Amino acid sequence: MSEQESLKRLALISIAVMLILGVASMAVGATLENYRARYLLMLLGGIVVVDSAVYLPIVYARREDPRRIAVPALQSLWISTSMGLGYLVTAPAPYFQLSKALEAFMAVVGAIMLVYGLYSLLVISRRSGVPLAV
Amino acid sequence: MKPPILGAAPQAISVSRQEASAGVDVYGDYATLPVPKSELRSTLNIFMVYMGVLAVIAAIFAGSGLAQMYDPLTTIKVSLAGNALLALFGGLIAYIGGSTRANTYMLLRYPLGRLGAAIGSLIVSGIPLIIWFAVETWLFGMTVNVIYPHHALTSIAAASLWGGLLMMLTAYYGFRAIAVLSYITVPFWYVLVTIGFFAAIDLHGGFNALWKAKPPHPAALSLGITYVFGVYAAGSVITSDVARYGERKWSGAAAWSAHVLIFMTLLLFAGAAMTILTKSPNVIVAIAQIGMGVGALLLAILGQWTTNDNNLWSASLAWINVTGRLTKRQWVLITGVIGTLIAALWGGYYGMSMEPFIKFGVELGNFIPPVGAVLIADYYIVSRILGRRYTFGPGTRYSIANVPGLLAVFLGGAAGWLATHKGLHLPTGVGTIDSIIVAFLLYLALALTLGRAGVRFEIGEWVERPTGF
């Protein structure tokens, strides 16, 4: 597999993982009675889903040099990773009155998004030579 | 990259040290050279960089200032008026950057001259950015105090002192981990502000309660417009620093105008609404009171950390440009210590009071805009009429001082100050607008009259070296 194909594969998988986690959040959110928790999960999950759904076909269609693949991938992952941080920050906030189980769910989803997102961002940036701030 | 607070010169678009289209990029980020075509970015990228500039707590904190002056509807009107001015003013300057690929400091060599550009750089960056560093450090101290009250080391003054020194050291040594985390916070910061706004509405009586709120002592509209313009004045004058990377001439202008008109207005209103509804002295206390948790406050600190680092770096660059002495890192220490001491004194004397922040914002609105007004007048009108082109590169000749430009900058600032503090109408009575009008018209009158009469109004000559200096 060429360096370019490997980079594209990593970018696509990373965005797809974010998309799945976003959909899972929205699905869980839709079932909740606590309206604060429901809106929170729908908002964070919704942003990740829209972001990933928009960028996934863009990255998939790019076939030229690694920089052209990396730029949209970094933009998409930047937003998703940031929302991952949001899961971690909002889960323990008193305002939302989340149950322990939901708090744990958000912490796990947030941690995966944050750690995996940061890893993908740094690897894609290093391999393509595109700075993080794109 | 996450550029500086509503102020400093952005370093977000960092590029490797390499040869630019002409000359050698010794200082990095094409600090003294036009940006080559290979480094240009899309309009969306430029927009994201500007959004990064705005993603600092000072933006919603500025909304708290408005909450103490106006009711919510007037807050929206004042914000829109101030931001429309910012969009137009900064947009015109951004277009100059997109057309010439030059940064603010380089552009100012024409309307102010080589020495004048250094003075302009001090007015826009060198001095205000030290104060902005102090402001952000004071906000840090306040946030720490809200999270951990009742301890000597977490009083606002003490936390400002150790927080400022900590931020100065990270700027001095550079910690990539902090920079990456700070960069990650940007998109969520906007979501957090949105959540905070709706949570405040949810907890404190809904929109009805918000619209009914009235401040005890409403301020004049002119003061608010000058204040709104002032908190982002430095940013509006240095829009070309980012816009010069735009792939189209108008990329920066469009991105700047959209982000400031829409998002700055929303942030100001959100900050004001949270402060009004929770009846808090400022938005940091409001976020805590709403129950957004310690994490949200820590995120606020993290988000502005590199912004404050950038404030020091940009201030240092300005001082190097003026003095030509010491290194950037030495200036980081000097400006950092000064800024930290100001923050500690500020925190010790004023505590959480918004008063000094409002005064600071208003003075920025008086004195910084004339620098941009003179640049706009020179690029769009004077240079075209007198047949002068904005060119850069080794061998380019500039004047040492452009006398009408310098006069217009100082008299424009004075007009703004007189309008704000003495109530004079020169001609509008709104400080920031009067400072722009007086500087713009005065420069046009002097430069065109003298230029057409064949009188040389620029003093001395300076030839650009390969390094851009």
Side-chain angles (χ1 to χ4, degrees):
Chain A
M1 192 183 289
S2 70
E3 176 65 23
Q4 183 181 319
E5 284 170 342
S6 158
L7 185 77
K8 185 170 173 177
R9 187 180 156 83
L10 173 64
L12 288 173
I13 291 174
S14 305
I15 297 172
V17 167
M18 296 296 181
L19 180 63
I20 292 165
L21 290 172
V23 170
S25 298
M26 290 185 77
V28 170
T31 64
L32 297 173
E33 284 186 14
N34 172 353
Y35 72 95
R36 292 177 184 172
R38 184 168 66 238
Y39 289 141
L40 176 65
L41 280 173
M42 297 293 272
L43 177 67
L44 294 177
I47 291 170
V48 173
V49 168
V50 171
D51 168 62
S52 305
V54 167
Y55 276 99
L56 203 55
I58 294 174
V59 174
Y60 182 78
R62 296 279 164 98
R63 297 179 194 289
E64 306 88 357
D65 68 292
R67 289 176 67 91
R68 302 239 323 138
I69 295 167
V71 169
L74 290 177
Q75 286 173 347
S76 173
L77 289 170
W78 177 42
I79 293 171
S80 300
T81 307
S82 185
M83 292 309 127
L85 186 63
Y87 280 79
L88 292 175
V89 166
T90 51
Y95 169 76
F96 297 105
Q97 299 169 341
L98 303 185
S99 64
K100 288 290 171 200
L102 193 56
E103 210 175 295
F105 169 76
M106 286 190 67
V108 170
V109 170
I112 295 171
M113 280 184 169
L114 184 62
V115 174
Y116 186 58
L118 272 174
Y119 164 79
S120 302
L121 280 168
L122 293 172
V123 171
I124 292 171
S125 172
R126 197 186 68 234
R127 282 201 207 162
S128 63
V130 176
L132 277 183
V134 292
Chain B
M1 126 187 192
K2 201 167 86 96
I5 161 112
L6 311 175
Q11 296 165 356
I13 305 174
S14 60
V15 289
S16 57
R17 188 177 291 190
Q18 57 184 290
E19 285 206 2
S21 48
V24 182
D25 187 18
V26 177
Y27 306 96
D29 273 346
Y30 303 101
T32 55
L33 301 167
V35 175
K37 273 192 173 179
S38 59
E39 295 296 339
L40 301 186
R41 310 288 176 84
S42 72
T43 306
L44 178 64
N45 290 345
I46 301 298
F47 176 76
M48 285 180 167
V49 174
Y50 284 133
M51 288 296 281
V53 177
L54 204 52
V56 288
I57 200 161
I60 54 168
F61 199 81
S64 290
L66 288 176
Q68 301 192 358
M69 292 192 266
Y70 308 108
D71 60 68
L73 192 62
T74 313
T75 294
I76 293 176
K77 289 178 187 168
V78 166
S79 302
L80 274 174
N83 289 329
L85 273 174
L86 277 169
L88 177 67
F89 190 71
L92 286 169
I93 295 173
Y95 186 81
I96 301 173
S99 302
T100 59
R101 307 281 168 224
N103 65 19
T104 312
Y105 178 70
M106 293 163 68
L107 293 172
L108 288 177
R109 291 170 186 169
Y110 283 100
L112 298 179
R114 169 70 176 87
L115 181 64
I119 295 170
S121 179
L122 271 191
I123 294 172
V124 174
S125 304
I127 297 167
L129 291 183
I130 296 176
I131 313 285
W132 265 124
F133 176 81
V135 168
E136 297 260 357
T137 303
W138 168 60
L139 288 176
F140 172 94
M142 202 190 303
T143 312
V144 169
N145 181 255
V146 169
I147 300 172
Y148 304 108
H150 315 306
H151 191 285
L153 282 175
T154 58
S155 69
I156 298 175
S160 299
L161 196 61
W162 60 257
L165 293 175
L166 212 56
M167 284 190 255
M168 181 189 75
L169 288 176
T170 57
Y172 183 83
Y173 289 109
F175 285 101
R176 185 167 157 77
I178 289 179
V180 170
L181 281 175
S182 188
Y183 155 80
I184 290 296
T185 62
V186 173
F188 178 65
W189 177 246
Y190 287 96
V191 178
L192 185 67
V193 172
T194 308
I195 293 172
F197 171 76
F198 283 105
I201 296 284
D202 180 37
L203 288 172
H204 295 278
F207 282 100
N208 279 341
L210 177 63
W211 297 124
K212 280 180 191 163
K214 299 239 182 288
H217 308 291
L221 291 182
S222 59
L223 187 72
I225 293 170
T226 302
Y227 166 74
V228 169
F229 195 101
V231 291
Y232 216 172
S236 75
V237 173
I238 61 171
T239 49
S240 53
D241 290 358
V242 175
R244 68 199 178 118
Y245 284 91
E247 63 185 0
R248 300 185 193 285
K249 287 181 181 180
W250 49 262
S251 292
W256 165 266
S257 301
H259 105 285
V260 78
L261 197 56
I262 300 168
F263 291 94
M264 177 73 169
T265 304
L266 289 175
L267 286 182
L268 287 172
F269 181 64
M274 282 191 265
T275 309
I276 289 170
L277 285 168
T278 59
K279 297 183 172 56
S280 304
N282 59 60
V283 80
I284 293 172
V285 179
I287 289 173
Q289 204 172 315
I290 290 165
M292 298 308 288
V294 170
L297 294 170
L298 291 176
L299 188 81
I301 289 176
L302 184 64
Q304 68 186 25
W305 197 290
T306 51
T307 293
N308 226 12
D309 283 0
N310 280 343
N311 282 333
L312 280 190
W313 278 107
S314 299
S316 303
L317 188 63
W319 282 100
I320 285 179
N321 281 327
V322 173
T323 62
R325 293 173 189 277
L326 304 181
T327 65
K328 241 172 149 181
R329 296 180 91 196
Q330 286 168 325
W331 276 112
V332 161
L333 292 180
I334 294 168
T335 53
V337 167
I338 294 170
T340 301
L341 287 175
I342 293 172
L345 290 172
W346 190 326
Y349 188 75
Y350 288 101
M352 289 195 183
S353 169
M354 288 294 297
E355 192 190 337
F357 184 78
I358 293 172
K359 281 183 180 166
F360 172 58
V362 169
E363 294 312 333
L364 289 179
N366 288 329
F367 288 100
I368 291 180
V371 177
V374 168
L375 174 60
I376 290 169
D378 190 70
Y379 180 81
Y380 289 102
I381 301 173
V382 173
S383 66
R384 284 161 203 244
I385 290 176
L386 299 183
R388 187 176 60 185
R389 290 180 64 83
Y390 270 52
T391 53
F392 303 92
T396 308
R397 293 169 189 278
Y398 310 92
S399 66
I400 298 294
N402 182 328
V403 178
L406 285 168
L407 270 177
V409 164
F410 288 116
L411 293 178
W417 189 87
L418 288 169
T420 301
H421 298 289
K422 303 294 176 190
L424 297 184
H425 286 244
L426 301 162
T428 67
V430 180
T432 199
I433 297 178
D434 285 0
S435 70
I436 291 172
I437 290 174
V438 168
F440 185 85
L441 293 180
L442 189 62
Y443 181 67
L444 280 187
L446 288 174
L448 289 179
T449 307
L450 293 172
R452 281 181 165 166
V455 179
R456 183 170 156 75
F457 55 81
E458 294 168 314
I459 300 171
E461 185 178 80
W462 170 71
V463 182
E464 186 176 328
R465 296 193 292 266
T467 57
F469 269 111

